[in-house]
Amino acid sequence: MTEQTELKEATDTKIVKMIVFAIGVQEYCIPILSVREIRGFEKTTTLPFAPPYVCGAINLRGIILTVVDLAVYLNVPPQTDNPRRVVVIVESKNGVVCGLLVDRVIDMADINLNDVQAVSEDGSCLGGLVLVDNRMIGLLRLETVVGQLVTDTISE
Amino acid sequence: MDDILQIFFQECDEQLQELERGLSALSDGESEHETVNAVFRAVHSIKGGAASFGLDNLVRFAHVFENSLDGLRSGRFAPTHDVVKVFLKAMDVLSDLVNEARGGATVDSARVAESHAELADISGTGSNQNASQAATTEDVIPADFSPVPMDFEPVPADFEPVPFDFDFGEEEAPPAAASLLVTFRPHDALYERGDDARNILIGLADLARECDGEILTTCDRSALPPLADLLPDKSYLSWQVVLPPAVSEDNANAVFDWISEDCDFSIVREGAEAAAPQEPTIEQPEPAEVVAVIPPVEDHEAPPPAPTPSVAHPVQILSPLPAPATPDAHPGPSPAGSAASSTANGAAQTAARKPEQASIRVDLHRIDDLMDLVGELVIAQAAIESLSRRTDAAGQHELVQSISSMQSLTRDIQDAVMAVRAQPVRAVFQRMQRVVREASSMTHKDIVLTLEGEDTEVDRTLVEKLTDPLTHMLRNAVDHGIESPEARIAAGKPAEGHIVLSAEHRSGRILITIKDDGAGINRQRVFETAVKRGVIPADAVLSDDEVNNLIFMPGFSTAAQVSNLSGRGVGMDVVKQAIQSLGSRITISSIPGKGTTFGFSLPLTLAILDGMLISASGSTMVIPISSVIETMIVNQSDVYALPDGSNVISIRGDCMPLIPLATVLKLSNSPPPDSLDASVILVVENESGARAALIVDEIRDQTQVVIKSIESNYRQIFGVSAATILGDGSVSLILDVSALVASAIGHIDIKPSNIRAELAA
Amino acid sequence: MTEKKILRVLTIDDSRTMQGMLRKALEEAGYDVIQGGDGIEGIEVLESADPPPNVIITDINMPRMDGFGVIEAVRKMPAFKHLPIIVLTTESDPEKKARARAAGATGWIIKPFSSDSLVAAIRRVTA
């Protein structure tokens, strides 16, 4: 919710450039401004007590960050044999950097926030749905994902 | 100006350190001249800088301080214990005033006044034989320190007119109709001091130009000898200069300000007595003809109208600052001045907002060393490049050699960079003097803190992190360590308590100890208190060391009487945590009646760690070598299974829990094998000496690793303190040995160990 | 005023604040500034300076070698025997001034100084 209002504030026209990617058969998008880079999926270092959706840690030019398997996170069957899987490196508003493992990056889209249909659940990672070229695309709430990554309690 | 103000504050910090060092040397009975000088210089520098920025409070106090120190410097009184005490207190006030100027908290004026009075008192009583000196040390800034009224008004922030300020023309110049006749004859000395008659002539010409006039110059060459006899160093010429009427005598006098003793000169209004005045000086080479001495004050209070030749000139000025120096006796801040003052204030405010200094000063030779190494690195790299193109076997061999020399070079560079970042612990240590001073005055104890090894260097990030734990530990030592003077005397000790804070290098780490000569830890009372607070069960059996360590337990405080000092919010448990976060542990040794010693060691840097690379369940991890006691292969017969499924191992009679690393970290899902025979274990030790054995798959290497935070982009992970990047670019975790040991011990329910576990937590 | 050649000033002071202020004031007035952090360093800078400075401004109270030492040392160097030296001082002591004078100082400036007074002082000895 906050993210959306902030997004609205960020632009007068309420049009936000988003990067669209696929997880399984679903499509999701995040603001392009939060993306730092996109890189191939490489071996990660397993982290103790990590939640199942955390693949592990990687080294991004001296910074250590974790990679989130969005398929697991979103409860979508992952395509492990898909060679087009890439890691989208994102930075949250409070400066936390992490990687999002997605099945493939599709394209960029200008999304009018007025067109976004809210989904009822508050605090969910899904900020809403929007129709682009007859494709239903989910708005991923980056801050929710990152927030969980940083603060989730260890489930021993 | 802002940047210079920043420099000033930085420099104040340095000077205050210098001051502290000097004063503690004095209080240790050293009274060498250079020490006293250094102390004086420190205060003097602060005053000088502060005056430039119009930091009035600071200037005023520094001035009084300086005066008192001058009394010491000139031997008017000796640095007795009491005198040094007053100086130390004044130093604290000065330091707070610097902080105030920086935008910090306002200093209580009563405190300033008190210290002020004490300082004045010292120099006053100490200089009875010299009444005038005593007077100066009262409140008076000598008139020539800066041309500011004597009544201790704030020094205006702008810059006061100074001797050679030529342009106060208009109001000053008496509306004299007659031209001003200046005659002068330089002595040899004038030239010997790098001055020149030409300078005087140009100075006078400038005066004339300011009044849109011209000068009329006549050179008297009558004294010039024939060329053959001419000595180049001698002065033979004299000049007569006619200035326009608008030029005042004062201004003309100012031109001669610096040379009044090296030049015969006269300044006379042309007119009635015009003819007379030249004679005395021009014709006579000797300044013996000095007719009168005019005190400067009179001269500028009321410029004498058309002086008579016999009175006015030549002027032999005896005052430190010749009359024309302050032609305006009551300089108010000029409009430009107040503008300057507001910018200075603005600067002070900006300064306040700026956080800790972001720059460090580095010895040039350290940078040079680094540069040399980098030069070698470039060469080594070129060598490797060319060798890598060769395919023959010899080339391969050389390549390996080159790489290994590159390795040692890298290590050298690392050391050199660390040396650049290194800082002596002095700054922090000296701050502790004040902590002890304040704490002992609050507890009415007489305590001397001695510093040792202040020059020991550590990484600057560490230096900063030392302040808080040291402060608490010293307060604790003052409050609980040292007894009251009465108790000390009763125990046959000197009333004055003694604390030593020292730093030294020891096997690649820095060892810091705090040693007091107090009563030692009252273990009986500590134990009882711990039981009372529910920290330990009443039937706990603890070693002396374990009892000592109870004071670090959260929720523990020697409750009998919590003074307002060490009771201030933080307990020793916080200290322990802080020290632990620096990668160390505190050790305590205490002898009843003799005192207590706290010690902890610090790594030279927080950025690099000597580690052992191990693997467990396919993951490569790093264990800090400092916590590894030994590595060995398990003999199944030494292993005992406990009912809860965990194991303990006996190593030379010492029983400790076995930690299957992969399982504990939930890296492997397969249950641990039935037999641990031939497993590789590492015996590790935590801060309080508790041990455990880690079962790993393999020990791979020993290496230095660069510590990287994992929490900045993730969360804290149990058993992991940080991460690093290995040579192949992959991430490897650095294990948190204390946490692992603590949790392993915690799982095993043996009473004393349970306490150990908590102690280790 | 008519001269356009750039004058070089050597300032000797152990206070970095003072050095900063001197540099700022002098450079704004168009002088070329070289600096030494105490007497010893000041003499070293003087000896190796090319071109040599046209005037020296020195503090009195400094570690290692004080201002008097500087003046005496400079006056002993044949090349700089006649180099103008201005003493920078907050010293109230007339003795100090007499000593500086005896050592061979050309003039003095009282701290705190203004840019104008500083420049005027330099002009006074380098005109």
Side-chain angles (χ1 to χ4, degrees):
Chain A
M1 13 129 230
T2 51
E3 188 180 353
Q4 218 162 313
T5 49
E6 278 165 36
L7 283 176
K8 277 178 190 157
E9 281 161 15
T11 162
D12 293 328
T13 55
K14 292 177 185 168
I15 302 274
V16 178
K17 217 174 208 15
M18 298 276 199
I19 184 164
V20 183
F21 48 80
I23 314 284
V25 294
Q26 305 261 29
E27 288 183 23
Y28 290 92
C29 64
I30 52 171
I32 192 93
L33 286 177
S34 57
V35 177
R36 271 197 173 187
E37 64 183 272
I38 296 173
R39 46 195 282 148
F41 181 59
E42 59 198 290
K43 190 178 158 294
T44 57
T45 298
T46 314
L47 297 173
F49 312 110
Y53 59 83
V54 172
C55 302
I58 59 165
N59 156 29
L60 179 76
R61 292 182 293 279
I63 301 169
I64 292 174
L65 50 92
T66 46
V67 175
V68 172
D69 188 335
L70 275 186
V72 178
Y73 185 83
L74 298 166
N75 259 321
V76 180
Q79 307 176 323
T80 38
D81 52 346
N82 175 3
R84 297 175 70 182
R85 294 180 98 191
V86 288
V87 177
V88 181
I89 308 288
V90 295
E91 181 170 351
S92 78
K93 288 202 177 58
N94 42 18
V96 175
V97 182
C98 74
L100 303 177
L101 178 61
V102 303
D103 283 336
R104 72 196 154 95
V105 171
I106 300 170
D107 57 4
M108 240 99 76
D110 287 323
I111 288 178
N112 189 334
L113 293 180
N114 290 332
D115 298 344
V116 174
Q117 297 165 36
V119 285
S120 53
E121 284 173 84
D122 229 20
S124 128
C125 61
L126 193 61
L129 290 167
V130 66
L131 208 59
V132 177
D133 303 335
N134 284 326
R135 290 139 57 198
M136 191 62 95
I137 299 178
L139 255 69
L140 190 69
R141 273 201 193 118
L142 199 56
E143 305 302 316
T144 310
V145 180
V146 172
Q148 252 172 305
L149 188 67
V150 175
T151 58
D152 244 8
T153 43
I154 302 158
S155 46
E156 265 196 69
Chain B
M1 218 54 172
D2 262 25
D3 44 342
I4 302 179
L5 190 67
Q6 281 314 305
I7 294 174
F8 169 65
F9 284 133
Q10 259 181 37
E11 209 165 33
C12 278
D13 288 344
E14 290 162 22
Q15 300 292 2
L16 285 167
Q17 271 181 44
E18 192 65 35
L19 181 59
E20 174 115 45
R21 190 184 334 186
L23 288 179
S24 38
L26 286 179
S27 87
D28 292 347
E30 189 197 308
S31 57
E32 278 188 29
H33 195 60
E34 193 33 53
T35 310
V36 179
N37 265 341
V39 164
F40 178 83
R41 209 159 42 226
V43 177
H44 179 78
S45 283
I46 291 177
K47 184 184 86 171
S52 302
F53 293 103
L55 303 169
D56 309 332
N57 281 342
L58 194 52
V59 173
R60 232 175 301 157
F61 188 77
H63 182 73
V64 181
F65 199 171
E66 183 190 7
N67 265 336
S68 278
L69 287 169
D70 192 45
L72 181 65
R73 191 169 66 151
S74 55
R76 285 203 305 278
F77 51 88
T80 61
H81 189 65
D82 288 340
V83 164
V84 174
K85 241 180 171 167
V86 168
F87 285 158
L88 284 169
K89 192 164 155 192
M91 175 183 72
D92 294 344
V93 173
L94 188 68
S95 150
D96 287 349
L97 283 170
V98 168
N99 194 37
E100 178 186 278
R102 214 179 217 156
T106 310
V107 185
D108 177 17
S109 58
R111 243 184 86 214
V112 179
E114 185 188 321
S115 182
H116 187 156
E118 286 172 356
L119 286 170
D121 206 35
I122 287 187
S123 31
T125 51
S127 58
N128 278 338
Q129 65 273 51
N130 190 338
S132 72
Q133 274 295 352
T136 350
T137 49
E138 291 301 330
D139 274 8
V140 180
I141 292 184
D144 63 341
F145 162 57
S146 97
V148 163
M150 306 283 221
D151 59 1
F152 232 68
E153 279 302 302
V155 178
D158 62 321
F159 303 104
E160 294 304 330
V162 265
F164 22 73
D165 216 342
F166 296 120
D167 65 352
F168 32 77
E170 286 123 86
E171 323 98 271
E172 293 295 314
S179 308
L180 202 60
L181 183 66
V182 176
T183 52
F184 68 97
R185 180 184 187 286
H187 300 172
D188 298 346
L190 182 136
Y191 297 99
E192 278 161 18
R193 285 187 217 189
D195 214 333
D196 199 303
R198 187 167 168 266
N199 290 328
I200 315 282
L201 290 170
I202 291 180
L204 293 171
D206 282 355
L207 283 184
R209 198 172 299 119
E210 275 164 31
C211 312
D212 291 324
E214 299 230 317
I215 56 169
L216 193 70
T217 313
T218 328
C219 180
D220 177 358
R221 283 170 299 194
S222 58
L224 203 62
L227 190 58
D229 300 339
L230 189 133
L231 296 172
D233 284 349
K234 285 268 171 217
S235 163
Y236 299 105
L237 303 177
S238 57
W239 283 266
Q240 186 178 59
V241 181
V242 181
L243 291 167
V247 177
S248 74
E249 278 97 334
D250 282 344
N251 287 356
N253 244 323
V255 175
F256 292 91
D257 176 25
W258 290 345
I259 51 166
S260 48
E261 287 171 16
D262 303 313
C263 179
D264 303 321
F265 69 101
S266 71
I267 300 167
V268 185
R269 282 269 166 231
E270 260 182 334
E273 302 93 355
Q278 309 135 275
E279 290 144 30
T281 46
I282 308 270
E283 253 56 275
Q284 320 297 322
E286 294 302 314
E289 286 289 332
V290 168
V291 193
V293 173
I294 308 274
V297 188
E298 292 176 28
D299 216 32
H300 64 79
E301 294 268 281
T308 62
S310 58
V311 173
H313 310 284
V315 180
Q316 166 96 7
I317 288 153
L318 297 179
S319 132
L321 242 197
T326 53
D328 184 350
H330 307 284
S334 63
S338 45
S341 120
S342 62
T343 29
N345 286 342
Q349 276 157 17
T350 354
R353 259 178 263 120
K354 285 186 187 155
E356 281 297 293
Q357 60 201 54
S359 64
I360 52 168
R361 298 182 72 196
V362 181
D363 273 356
L364 203 55
H365 77 260
R366 294 193 173 172
I367 304 275
D368 291 344
D369 287 353
L370 189 55
M371 205 54 226
D372 290 348
L373 286 168
V374 170
E376 281 182 53
L377 186 68
V378 171
I379 295 165
Q381 182 218 323
I384 288 177
E385 232 172 67
S386 80
L387 284 170
S388 66
R389 271 187 235 109
R390 279 164 62 177
T391 48
D392 55 307
Q396 279 300 308
H397 181 68
E398 280 179 47
L399 184 61
V400 171
Q401 276 187 333
S402 284
I403 288 174
S404 89
S405 77
M406 178 89 134
Q407 250 164 12
S408 76
L409 205 52
T410 313
R411 166 89 56 156
D412 288 349
I413 289 179
Q414 184 189 313
D415 288 348
V417 172
M418 266 160 64
V420 165
R421 288 180 57 93
Q423 257 187 353
V425 292
R426 178 185 307 283
V428 176
F429 269 32
Q430 286 187 343
R431 243 177 278 164
M432 294 306 129
Q433 287 286 10
R434 179 170 187 178
V435 169
V436 169
R437 226 168 18 246
E438 289 178 348
S440 33
S441 92
M442 218 178 278
T443 51
H444 306 291
K445 293 175 182 174
D446 206 0
I447 296 172
V448 175
L449 173 66
T450 307
L451 303 179
E452 285 172 8
E454 305 105 291
D455 287 322
T456 313
E457 292 190 330
V458 269
D459 194 277
R460 63 183 297 267
T461 49
L462 273 168
V463 172
E464 282 154 17
K465 287 180 177 160
L466 273 177
T467 312
D468 283 353
L470 283 183
T471 304
H472 293 311
M473 288 169 86
L474 282 165
R475 280 195 187 135
N476 183 71
V478 170
D479 202 11
H480 300 300
I482 306 275
E483 319 87 322
S484 67
E486 302 78 41
R488 289 183 65 91
I489 291 167
K493 296 187 198 178
E496 190 179 72
H498 205 235
I499 302 177
V500 180
L501 172 60
S502 71
E504 61 181 304
H505 276 277
R506 189 173 289 179
S507 56
R509 289 173 76 89
I510 306 290
L511 183 68
I512 301 208
T513 51
I514 296 171
K515 185 177 173 189
D516 67 56
D517 67 346
I521 292 177
N522 184 338
R523 294 197 190 94
Q524 182 66 32
R525 208 173 90 216
V526 166
F527 187 89
E528 281 163 11
T529 311
V531 171
K532 204 157 59 193
R533 316 233 129 202
V535 175
I536 49 165
D539 58 348
V541 180
L542 298 181
S543 68
D544 283 356
D545 194 38
E546 282 163 344
V547 176
N548 290 345
N549 273 290
L550 285 174
I551 65 169
F552 292 122
M553 296 291 284
F556 177 93
S557 64
T558 338
Q561 34 141 243
V562 178
S563 71
N564 63 339
L565 190 57
S566 24
R568 258 195 274 192
V570 266
M572 291 294 272
D573 56 321
V574 179
V575 172
K576 184 180 183 179
Q577 273 169 25
I579 300 290
Q580 256 175 12
S581 74
L582 296 178
S584 181
R585 62 184 148 103
I586 306 183
T587 56
I588 311 177
S589 70
S590 178
I591 304 167
K594 295 269 194 228
T596 309
T597 305
F598 291 91
F600 58 93
S601 69
L602 295 172
L604 291 176
T605 172
L606 288 179
I608 291 167
L609 175 115
D610 273 307
M612 197 176 265
L613 283 185
I614 55 105
S615 70
S617 182
S619 295
T620 302
M621 289 179 275
V622 180
I623 296 180
I625 283 194
S626 57
S627 55
V628 177
I629 306 296
E630 61 180 320
T631 60
M632 57 197 300
I633 306 288
V634 174
N635 187 341
Q636 182 67 46
S637 62
D638 293 331
V639 177
Y640 307 91
L642 297 180
D644 66 350
S646 63
N647 293 301
V648 294
I649 186 168
S650 157
I651 297 169
R652 292 183 293 275
D654 213 359
C655 227
M656 64 188 75
L658 267 172
I659 306 174
L661 193 58
T663 318
V664 165
L665 293 179
K666 299 231 172 10
L667 291 172
S668 111
N669 296 322
S670 53
D674 291 339
S675 168
L676 292 168
D677 206 27
S679 301
V680 178
I681 58 165
L682 277 71
V683 177
V684 292
E685 192 180 58
N686 77 352
E687 277 74 19
S688 52
R691 292 183 178 186
L694 291 177
I695 306 173
V696 302
D697 293 348
E698 187 190 358
I699 295 172
R700 305 180 92 162
D701 203 356
Q702 191 168 319
T703 182
Q704 280 204 324
V705 297
V706 177
I707 301 173
K708 299 273 180 183
S709 159
I710 199 162
E711 283 162 50
S712 57
N713 286 318
Y714 191 54
R715 58 180 83 146
Q716 210 176 347
I717 306 173
F718 164 77
V720 175
S721 62
T724 189
I725 294 162
L726 298 179
D728 63 357
S730 66
V731 175
S732 175
L733 302 176
I734 300 172
L735 296 177
D736 181 352
V737 170
S738 4
L740 289 171
V741 172
S743 111
I745 295 173
H747 281 301
I748 301 168
D749 200 14
I750 312 169
K751 252 179 198 152
S753 304
N754 196 9
I755 288 141
R756 280 197 192 94
E758 287 202 65
L759 291 173
Chain C
M1 216 165 269
T2 47
E3 284 167 300
K4 275 287 153 252
K5 89 173 170 181
I6 291 180
L7 291 180
R8 177 170 259 217
V9 183
L10 166 62
T11 68
I12 307 177
D13 200 315
D14 60 323
S15 152
R16 280 179 291 130
T17 311
M18 224 28 95
Q19 289 282 41
M21 304 199 61
L22 285 166
R23 179 177 284 281
K24 187 171 142 66
L26 292 172
E27 282 181 350
E28 275 173 8
Y31 292 100
D32 176 27
V33 181
I34 52 178
Q35 305 192 303
D38 61 35
I40 304 270
E41 206 183 301
I43 297 293
E44 283 166 11
V45 172
L46 173 66
E47 280 172 334
S48 58
D50 181 33
N54 302 85
V55 57
I56 297 177
I57 297 179
T58 181
D59 188 26
I60 288 293
N61 216 320
M62 292 183 290
R64 298 214 292 171
M65 182 195 274
D66 64 13
F68 305 127
V70 169
I71 300 169
E72 278 158 16
V74 172
R75 289 288 173 249
K76 281 198 190 102
M77 299 160 80
F80 301 117
K81 211 162 73 176
H82 296 297
L83 185 64
I85 304 176
I86 299 174
V87 169
L88 192 60
T89 177
T90 58
E91 302 294 342
S92 44
D93 193 352
E95 232 176 84
K96 285 262 158 54
K97 230 160 271 169
R99 264 190 76 187
R101 179 190 278 281
T106 317
W108 54 85
I109 304 176
I110 310 293
K111 290 191 269 190
F113 55 83
S114 70
S115 302
D116 288 350
S117 62
L118 183 68
V119 171
I122 293 176
R123 262 187 61 70
R124 161 69 183 75
V125 294
T126 59

